[in-house]
Amino acid sequence: MLPDGSWHICKAPANAFHAVQGSPRILKDGKSFTSESVKRDQLSDSFWKGQNYRVAGGVTADGRLYQPRTLDKVDMDTLGGIMLGLGCTNAINGEEAAAPTHSRMITDGVAK
């Protein structure tokens, strides 16, 4: 998050005061970007095609941030569909999602 309250999926600018790391990028400008990002990051097929618990960070066109966690194991393409369903135009796969107890879903500032 930048001081003006805006969210971005990119390399964190120097003035950012909140940042989330993850890979691969799963949405770019409202379209799937997983395969391009997997090639860039040199990730194995089993990483993005495999079923796993996932967390993601995404931003909608109007600047809302979503950081959901799946309750079931999904592949990266399914995660991208979830983020699109939330209205995200840009999204990344998050880190530390190996078990469903590692993170909780935050909606309107409330942990669920």
Side-chain angles (χ1 to χ4, degrees):
M1 175 186 279
L2 299 179
D4 66 2
S6 63
W7 296 95
H8 303 272
I9 301 289
C10 62
K11 182 177 179 182
N15 64 339
F17 62 89
H18 177 77
V20 176
Q21 178 179 332
S23 177
R25 185 172 187 169
I26 52 179
L27 296 178
K28 182 177 180 182
D29 300 324
K31 296 182 177 151
S32 176
F33 196 72
T34 304
S35 62
E36 292 90 336
S37 187
V38 164
K39 288 176 192 170
R40 180 200 66 202
D41 296 347
Q42 300 178 357
L43 301 173
S44 67
D45 282 351
S46 63
F47 176 78
W48 70 285
K49 292 180 180 178
Q51 304 284 310
N52 209 335
Y53 295 106
R54 309 276 184 186
V55 295
V59 181
T60 63
D62 62 356
R64 289 176 291 145
L65 172 70
Y66 286 93
Q67 290 186 284
R69 172 191 42 90
T70 64
L71 299 176
D72 295 317
K73 293 180 178 183
V74 299
D75 61 30
M76 212 63 71
D77 288 332
T78 301
L79 184 61
I82 291 167
M83 299 308 286
L84 280 172
L86 290 171
C88 294
T89 54
N90 292 287
I92 59 171
N93 176 60
E95 300 288 337
E96 300 298 328
T101 57
H102 284 182
S103 63
R104 298 185 341 173
M105 186 171 181
I106 308 295
T107 305
D108 296 326
V110 178
K112 298 183 178 189

